[in-house]
Amino acid sequence: MVQKTSRRRAGHRRARRARTSRFTRRGKIALWSGAVLAGLLLLGGGAALFAYLSLDGNIHSADIGDRLGGDRPDNLSPGSKNILVVGSDSRAGANSEYGKGLETMQSDTLMLVHLSADRKWAGVLSLPRDSYVPIPSCDRGDGTRSKPHSFKINESFAIGGLKGEVEGAAACTIKTVEHNTGLRVDHFMSLDFQGFKGMVNALGGIEVCPEEAIHDKKAHLDLAAGCQTIRNEEALGYVRARYGIGDGTDTGRIGRQQEFMRALSDKARSKLTSPKDLYGFLDSATKSLTTDKDLAGITPLYRLASSVQKIPENRLHFLTVPNYPREADIPTDKANLVWQQPQAATLFKKLAEDREVTAKALKSASAHPVHAAQVRVRVLNGTSEPGAAAEAAEGLRALGIRATVGNAAHSASKTSVTYAPGRRTQAGIVAAHLRDGIAPKAERDGGDTGGDSGGGGGSGAAGAEVTLTLGPGFEGVR
C-alpha cells in the first residue's frame, strides 16, 4: 500500500512538473497590453470606435517627469525599453478590506520588464519587495522631502504616495530602482487589486495546483490541495499568499506570481475570441491601470504590444534579482533580503547594455553566494580629506562587511579596489556597493601595503582580503 501511494504521489509530482514546464514554454510577455492588440483586431466598425474611446478614457495618466530630477542613469542601449510594473495594493476605496491602519499607498509586486532594442528577447525581472536597499530622498507630496535611508524597497511607493497620488508613488519608486540598479526606467505601469480580479474573472478563473492546502489569514485565503480553478478573492489571495504556503518567503511568492501570470496571459490569448469577453477583460484592466504620460492611451499601448508580439517563447526570461536573507550579514535582521553581489550588479550591467540574460545562466552564476559578512576589506585614505576612510568603512560595516581603516602610502589619483589571490568575488562585493562603478583588479606582487591601519572594528589590515583605496571625487558607499 505504501509503495502504491508513493507511486501515485510520484505521478502527481511528474504531472505538476509537466504543467509548470508547459507554462514556462508557452509564456509570452506578462503585460496585458498584448490583449489590447488582439482586441482592436477583433472589434470592428462602430464597436471598435466605441471600445477605443471607452477603454482609452479608462487609463489614468501619471505625469512624473518633473519629480525624477536630473541625476538619472544614462541610456546605454538606445532602442531598448525598461518598463517598471507595480502591483499596487492601495487600501483606498474598494480595496479597503485588505488591510487596516495602512493610510499610505502600498506596492505588493515590483517587476522591471526589459525589452531588447531589436525586440527579439525580453526579460521580466522581479524585485523582491523585502529587498533591503538605500531609498533616496523623495518628494512626499506635502511640501516636504524624505531623508535618504535604507529599508524595504516597496517603502518607496508608500513614501511618494503619502497623499494617495500615484504620480508621487511612481516617481519615488522609479528613483529607488534606478538608484539601486543603474538602469534607466523608460515607462511605468501600476495595476491595483480590483483590476487584477476583474481580469481573472473575465477569463472564468485560472487553474492552480497547490501541493498542500493553503491557510493564510493575511491573504484571506483557505485553499484545498490539488488542481482547481480560482477567481475573485481566492485568485488575489493566491498571488499575495506568503505565510501559509511553501517556504514562507517573498521569493517563494514571486515564483507563484510569475507562474500565475504566465497562465493568465496564456488563457487570455486562447479564450478571448469574442468581442464581449474581450471588452470585459480590457475594461477591468484599464479601469485600474495607471501609466506614465507617454504610455497612457490605447494607441501607445498598441504600438508597444505590436512591437513585442514576435518575441520567441524561449527568449522571454522570467528572472529574480539574486538574493539571500540579510540575517546572514546582520544577525538581528530576520525580516529582510539583500541582493547577492556581485551577481546582481553583473545582471544589471548586462541589461543596461542590452545583453540577453537567461534564468538558467543567472541561477548558475548565483549558486554559491558569498555573504558580505565573509568579506574583509581595508580602506585606505589616498585623499587629502581627513576621515574619508573612516566614513567609507562605517558604510561598509553597515552592510555587514568587516572593514579596517588606514592611510595610503601615497596620494591616489583615483579610487581603486584591489584583491589578494583567490579573492575576486569578495572584491566584486565591495565594488558593487560603491557608487563609483569601479572594476576590481588583482594586486600586483607585493600588493599595496598602504600606511598604518587604524583599527575601527574587524580584523587587522594584515588579514584583509580586499583593499579599497580612496581617491579624489570618491562618491561613497550605497
Side-chain angles (χ1 to χ4, degrees):
M1 178 65 72
V2 174
Q3 291 179 340
K4 290 182 179 180
T5 301
S6 298
R7 285 195 294 269
R8 283 198 300 269
R9 288 177 176 171
H12 292 327
R13 285 195 294 269
R14 286 193 295 270
R16 281 192 292 270
R17 284 195 295 268
R19 281 191 293 269
T20 300
S21 177
R22 186 167 66 252
F23 285 146
T24 302
R25 291 195 307 268
R26 298 175 63 190
K28 280 202 173 182
I29 192 155
L31 292 175
W32 68 270
S33 53
V36 174
L37 172 63
L40 293 178
L41 295 176
L42 285 172
L43 295 171
L49 178 60
F50 169 78
Y52 178 93
L53 294 175
S54 177
L55 297 174
D56 194 67
N58 283 348
I59 301 170
H60 304 285
S61 172
D63 189 359
I64 58 180
D66 293 340
R67 298 174 184 243
L68 297 178
D71 185 20
R72 302 186 63 193
D74 294 329
N75 183 355
L76 301 182
S77 57
S80 67
K81 295 292 183 184
N82 291 316
I83 305 168
L84 189 65
V85 181
V86 175
S88 168
D89 64 348
S90 167
R91 271 43 176 209
N95 294 329
S96 60
E97 64 187 278
Y98 298 110
K100 297 180 180 179
L102 296 173
E103 299 178 357
T104 59
M105 301 182 73
Q106 310 291 316
S107 65
D108 205 55
T109 303
L110 191 61
M111 297 185 296
L112 190 66
V113 180
H114 177 86
L115 305 178
S116 67
D118 59 10
R119 299 300 189 268
K120 292 184 177 180
W121 67 275
V124 182
L125 177 63
S126 292
L127 308 174
R129 74 174 201 173
D130 288 347
S131 300
Y132 191 87
V133 300
I135 298 176
S137 174
C138 290
D139 183 353
R140 294 177 179 270
D142 62 354
T144 66
R145 296 190 64 86
S146 63
K147 294 182 179 180
H149 65 287
S150 293
F151 203 70
K152 294 180 189 291
I153 194 170
N154 70 331
E155 190 197 39
S156 59
F157 200 75
I159 291 173
L162 189 65
K163 292 295 183 180
E165 298 178 350
V166 176
E167 288 87 348
C172 191
T173 304
I174 290 173
K175 288 186 66 174
T176 300
V177 170
E178 290 187 341
H179 179 82
N180 286 281
T181 67
L183 293 165
R184 188 179 181 95
V185 175
D186 300 293
H187 296 294
F188 170 84
M189 289 183 177
S190 175
L191 185 71
D192 72 17
F193 282 169
Q194 299 305 317
F196 174 81
K197 289 192 298 182
M199 288 191 294
V200 172
N201 291 344
L203 296 174
I206 299 295
E207 184 184 55
V208 298
C209 300
E211 297 185 12
E212 300 177 355
I214 305 171
H215 305 289
D216 190 331
K217 292 183 179 179
K218 291 187 177 182
H220 302 282
L221 182 65
D222 285 293
L223 205 62
C227 294
Q228 56 205 287
T229 298
I230 59 175
R231 53 178 62 83
N232 288 315
E233 311 305 324
E234 282 189 338
L236 181 60
Y238 183 80
V239 297
R240 296 187 66 238
R242 170 176 178 177
Y243 298 105
I245 181 173
D247 59 7
T249 65
D250 191 31
T251 50
R253 172 168 52 186
I254 285 174
R256 290 188 295 276
Q257 290 174 344
Q258 291 177 343
E259 181 177 325
F260 193 94
M261 292 306 295
R262 292 187 191 105
L264 186 148
S265 178
D266 186 61
K267 191 169 185 179
R269 289 192 302 274
S270 64
K271 180 178 173 62
L272 298 179
T273 57
S274 76
K276 181 179 178 181
D277 288 345
L278 180 63
Y279 182 82
F281 178 82
L282 295 179
D283 190 47
S284 295
T286 54
K287 280 182 178 178
S288 300
L289 180 69
T290 300
T291 73
D292 60 276
K293 189 176 180 181
D294 292 338
L295 205 58
I298 294 297
T299 297
L301 288 172
Y302 172 89
R303 290 171 181 163
L304 177 66
S306 63
S307 74
V308 301
Q309 287 301 301
K310 295 182 180 180
I311 292 178
E313 295 170 357
N314 65 345
R315 298 189 71 182
L316 171 65
H317 310 295
F318 284 87
L319 312 167
T320 300
V321 178
N323 63 83
Y324 60 85
R326 188 168 181 255
E327 183 181 6
D329 297 328
I330 308 296
T332 56
D333 187 350
K334 303 181 185 302
N336 296 305
L337 303 171
V338 291
W339 292 349
Q340 182 182 334
Q341 301 294 356
Q343 290 83 356
T346 300
L347 166 64
F348 302 144
K349 187 174 187 295
K350 287 182 177 179
L351 293 178
E353 296 172 350
D354 204 23
R355 290 189 282 155
E356 190 168 4
V357 180
T358 68
K360 182 178 180 180
L362 183 60
K363 182 178 180 180
S364 176
S366 309
H368 304 290
V370 174
H371 301 148
Q374 297 173 261
V375 179
R376 294 178 295 175
V377 59
R378 56 177 177 175
V379 184
L380 303 180
N381 191 353
T383 75
S384 59
E385 182 181 348
E391 182 178 351
E394 182 179 358
L396 292 170
R397 290 187 200 115
L399 299 169
I401 296 173
R402 292 179 288 173
T404 60
V405 298
N407 293 313
H410 309 285
S411 296
S413 60
K414 61 181 180 180
T415 299
S416 65
V417 175
T418 58
Y419 57 91
R423 294 297 182 263
R424 181 176 180 179
T425 297
Q426 286 81 350
I429 292 173
V430 173
H433 288 295
L434 305 179
R435 302 187 189 283
D436 300 64
I438 299 169
K441 295 182 178 180
E443 292 180 355
R444 292 171 294 184
D445 291 341
D448 180 357
T449 57
D452 85 283
S453 176
S459 52
E465 303 160 332
V466 180
T467 301
L468 167 61
T469 304
L470 307 185
F474 173 64
E475 296 182 19
V477 177
R478 61 178 171 188

